[in-house]
Amino acid sequence: MPKIPTWFRVTRWIVLSLLMVFTLTPVLVMLSSSLKPLQDVQGQWRWIPSGFTLRPYLDIWHTVPLARYFLNSLIVATSATVCSVVIAIFAAYAVSRYRFRGRRLFTVTVLSTQMFPGILFLLPLFLIFVNIGNATGIALYGSRAGLIITYLTFSLPFSIWMLVGYFDGIPRDLDEAALVDGCGPLRTLLRIVVPVAIPGIVAVGVYAFMTAWGEVLFASVMTNDDTRTLAVGLQSYASQNDVYWNQVMAASLVVSVPVVAGFLLLQRYLVAGLTAGAVK
Amino acid sequence: MKARLRRVGLPYLLLLPALALELLIHLVPMLVGIAMSFKQLTQFFIRNWSGAPWAGLGNYRTAVDFHAAVGQALLNSFLVTCSFTLLVVGLSWLLGTAAAILMQDAFRGRGVLRTLFLVPYALPVYAAVITWSFMFQHDTGLVNHMLHDQLHLTSGKPFWLIGGNSFYALVTVAVWRSWPFAFLCLTAGLQNIPRDLYEAAALDGAGVWQQIRRITLPSLRPVNQVLVLVLFLWTFNDFNTPYVLFGRSAPEAADLISIHIYQASFVTWNFGSGSAMSVLLLLFLLVVTAAYLFVTSRRRGAHA
């Protein structure tokens, strides 16, 4: 191990400290403001609160229908995640285990949909959903179902990509042994490959959930009062006459906890999956 | 025969759901969008859009007529987006690289610090950005309190969410959100550099700075090629950050292209002209991406 010179240590300490302050200030603002009494957030900013209170955490549920937004987000994100993961498992298994015509075309097409600006297909999709509704009576616009299918396609390309990498790492001898024993390809996938790939599948699930939980653009157009998700709902605090910032911060913290906890717990798997492509 | 058909058909069957959904939600709307951009699709035709009259290139002509109000606003938004993207990608890359290189050697607390640095990436965008908008408030915000009341750097309290300063507020928030991703990718890239390269260089008398310039940065080139492109596309298309920070009406100085098209479409309900702008945006992104890949791949080939 080469010796690290002192100037490098000092630079490291200074730069990393500054970065940490920059990164964590909003998190601390969120946490401390959510515990402040109302007068503390209505006047000048205070580093030290005049008192601690848990009131904001009780009030957030009455000021706006936060519970309903929360439930909508939970339903939409969970359904999108489950569908996206199942579909991605099948697609990734095909790409990883079979050599077929169009294999490369499929991967390139699916991945390139990731680079399209969302605004490009927002307008047409909105019109398509409205017109499908008029023609068939299936309400996709304004419904959770429309949001669920939209979101699951957002996470699908990356999920397939991550799972192909994961499946490629599982020795083929395992599935071949199962095939020799008379298992069909689908049973082999479900009984042999999926159990081994659980960590990868969980990581993909967290990624899909985060994507659906955090999406704003489509949520702002495709939902109505009944189906509004947190992404749009949280902003309704700001449109009140008086913005109760302590409540806004408490609500922000509450809606962040599910995804941040999931991300930090599964950080190792996620990071490996997310960066695999960039490093290859 | 039947068995063979099943064997050949199986991969396609497995891909079918994924393919069908991607087609339905991405490719079909894209084609519809291109068709829409040639139509006079105003609010009267939303429920019967195939009945809208054809506009030919009319929507495009309006969008790029820089002497009229619509074209001028689009041009302004495009230029704002370009400088925003340049600044955000540059700063995010710089911070990500600096942090990744400084954290290459193990030290006490490195693991915890790494996790903390990823928090902005994990937070839902609306929760994080709404916190920033609280910090940028004129009277109650932390930023003005620090700049004016505590450090006395400004003569009065500036406005951050309206007017010219909103551009810098937007850049700050966008860098805060995207540098952890750069850090993540570069950290992973650094792990692929063999340690003995550094040891050999140290034996030859190379200092830290030389090691970074001669070993670290060249080895990161493949990661950088992808990373910069991804950051560029995300930043250029960013809708969430300005939408949550400013609400539906972004100030002129921070009028990013996605927000601009969104407003142009949903305020006037003129989807035809909104689609024309989106198609122009897509063409621009395709040209930049192709040029970027062409240049970087050739340079990579020359170095190899």
Side-chain angles (χ1 to χ4, degrees):
Chain A
M1 198 71 176
K3 201 179 159 319
I4 301 169
T6 318
W7 70 263
F8 188 80
R9 281 170 198 276
V10 174
T11 320
R12 179 166 80 188
W13 196 87
I14 295 172
V15 173
L16 294 182
S17 306
L18 287 176
L19 269 175
M20 196 166 76
V21 171
F22 178 52
T23 306
L24 290 187
T25 305
V27 181
L28 293 179
V29 166
M30 203 192 278
L31 184 66
S32 74
S33 307
S34 73
L35 296 166
K36 283 178 183 174
L38 190 59
Q39 77 262 16
D40 277 19
V41 290
Q42 281 182 329
Q44 203 176 55
W45 168 260
R46 304 177 66 119
W47 293 103
I48 316 278
S50 66
F52 284 104
T53 168
L54 288 173
R55 270 298 292 280
Y57 286 91
L58 299 175
D59 292 339
I60 47 176
W61 309 97
H62 309 301
T63 313
V64 302
L66 187 69
R68 196 199 313 150
Y69 302 151
F70 210 101
L71 188 68
N72 282 333
S73 274
L74 211 56
I75 293 173
V76 169
T78 312
S79 319
T81 303
V82 172
C83 298
S84 166
V85 167
V86 170
I87 294 172
I89 288 176
F90 286 128
Y93 186 66
V95 174
S96 162
R97 291 301 195 258
Y98 293 91
R99 296 289 167 268
F100 54 90
R101 202 186 278 264
R103 181 169 168 271
R104 214 181 133 67
L105 182 70
F106 170 80
T107 5
V108 171
T109 313
V110 167
L111 272 180
S112 65
T113 58
Q114 284 294 75
M115 72 169 266
F116 297 153
I119 193 80
L120 175 71
F121 51 92
L122 172 75
L123 304 177
L125 197 62
F126 172 77
L127 276 193
I128 291 174
F129 279 7
V130 168
N131 281 292
I132 287 181
N134 287 345
T136 64
I138 304 171
L140 289 173
Y141 166 65
S143 75
R144 298 194 195 103
L147 217 51
I148 292 169
I149 8 182
T150 311
Y151 285 172
L152 83 89
T153 62
F154 287 172
S155 50
L156 205 50
F158 228 54
S159 305
I160 296 175
W161 197 28
M162 274 158 75
L163 280 182
V164 169
Y166 218 88
F167 287 171
D168 280 347
I170 298 172
R172 275 155 174 272
D173 306 357
L174 272 180
D175 353 355
E176 266 152 29
L179 285 171
V180 168
D181 283 350
C183 274
L186 278 186
R187 267 175 64 119
T188 310
L189 169 63
L190 296 179
R191 292 280 174 80
I192 310 293
V193 180
V194 167
V196 182
I198 285 292
I201 292 171
V202 172
V204 166
V206 173
Y207 167 74
F209 191 85
M210 278 171 66
T211 309
W213 192 259
E215 207 283 330
V216 179
L217 175 60
F218 285 74
S220 76
V221 174
M222 301 283 192
T223 56
N224 57 28
D225 281 344
D226 290 326
T227 54
R228 193 142 297 159
T229 55
L230 289 169
V232 191
L234 209 60
Q235 289 186 324
S236 49
Y237 285 100
S239 58
Q240 309 275 317
N241 288 336
D242 253 327
V243 184
Y244 302 127
W245 280 110
N246 53 351
Q247 289 188 38
V248 181
M249 293 298 103
S252 301
L253 201 78
V254 169
V255 306
S256 303
V257 166
V259 281
V260 175
F263 180 86
L264 293 183
L265 279 176
L266 299 159
Q267 199 206 126
R268 190 187 300 263
Y269 302 121
L270 259 176
V271 169
L274 285 172
T275 51
V279 179
K280 256 179 215 161
Chain B
M1 184 63 204
K2 207 178 152 200
R4 190 165 169 263
L5 195 71
R6 271 189 60 179
R7 226 189 119 56
V8 177
L10 187 67
Y12 296 105
L13 204 62
L14 290 171
L15 291 180
L16 191 65
L19 202 59
L21 281 165
E22 288 298 324
L23 286 177
L24 176 73
I25 305 293
H26 293 260
L27 291 178
V28 171
M30 204 175 83
L31 298 177
V32 172
I34 294 175
M36 278 162 63
S37 69
F38 294 106
K39 288 205 153 202
Q40 225 168 343
L41 194 55
T42 49
Q43 50 184 327
F44 308 110
F45 298 104
I46 297 287
R47 298 215 168 252
N48 175 30
W49 71 278
S50 49
W54 290 96
L57 287 172
N59 290 323
Y60 289 93
R61 238 178 261 133
T62 319
V64 295
D65 179 7
F66 299 135
H67 298 295
V70 175
Q72 214 167 29
L74 185 67
L75 183 67
N76 169 62
S77 160
F78 174 73
L79 294 177
V80 166
T81 312
C82 285
S83 36
F84 168 77
T85 307
L86 224 61
L87 266 174
V88 172
V89 173
L91 286 172
S92 302
W93 180 84
L94 197 71
L95 293 183
T97 308
I101 289 179
L102 290 172
M103 290 168 80
Q104 198 176 3
D105 297 307
F107 56 86
R108 212 141 52 97
R110 184 175 70 158
V112 180
L113 205 57
R114 237 180 222 165
T115 306
L116 290 178
F117 280 167
L118 293 182
V119 167
Y121 182 73
L123 279 173
V125 52
Y126 42 89
V129 177
I130 222 166
T131 309
W132 275 102
S133 88
F134 175 45
M135 290 163 64
F136 279 126
Q137 289 296 308
H138 182 254
D139 298 318
T140 55
L142 172 154
V143 174
N144 271 351
H145 179 60
M146 237 174 76
L147 289 181
H148 181 70
D149 304 336
Q150 294 188 308
L151 300 171
H152 305 290
L153 289 174
T154 51
S155 52
K157 286 188 173 182
F159 285 95
W160 291 104
L161 299 179
I162 48 175
N165 285 336
S166 54
F167 179 77
Y168 302 103
L170 186 62
V171 168
T172 310
V173 180
V175 170
W176 179 82
R177 282 199 0 96
S178 58
W179 85 269
F181 182 75
F183 168 67
L184 203 79
C185 291
L186 291 162
T187 303
L190 285 179
Q191 279 160 4
N192 290 5
I193 306 176
R195 296 261 60 177
D196 25 332
L197 267 183
Y198 292 102
E199 276 158 38
L203 279 182
D204 288 343
V208 173
W209 194 238
Q210 265 184 320
Q211 288 176 24
I212 292 175
R213 268 192 47 203
R214 294 283 160 78
I215 303 174
T216 314
L217 290 180
S219 316
L220 286 178
R221 197 167 285 138
V223 181
N224 279 327
Q225 190 198 9
V226 181
L227 174 66
V228 170
L229 182 65
V230 170
L231 281 178
F232 163 75
L233 289 172
W234 279 354
T235 312
F236 208 92
N237 292 326
D238 195 3
F239 172 87
N240 299 338
T241 316
Y243 181 78
V244 181
L245 197 59
F246 305 118
R248 280 186 176 229
S249 53
E252 208 178 312
D255 188 21
L256 295 192
I257 199 94
S258 289
I259 282 274
H260 186 83
I261 299 175
Y262 179 91
Q263 269 180 302
S265 312
F266 283 100
V267 171
T268 61
W269 290 95
N270 189 342
F271 279 21
S273 102
S275 301
M277 294 180 194
S278 311
V279 172
L280 289 175
L281 170 63
L282 178 72
L283 287 179
F284 172 77
L285 293 177
L286 282 178
V287 169
V288 173
T289 306
Y292 175 84
L293 287 178
F294 180 72
V295 171
T296 50
S297 308
R298 214 173 48 168
R299 205 188 305 153
R300 239 171 116 182
H303 273 275

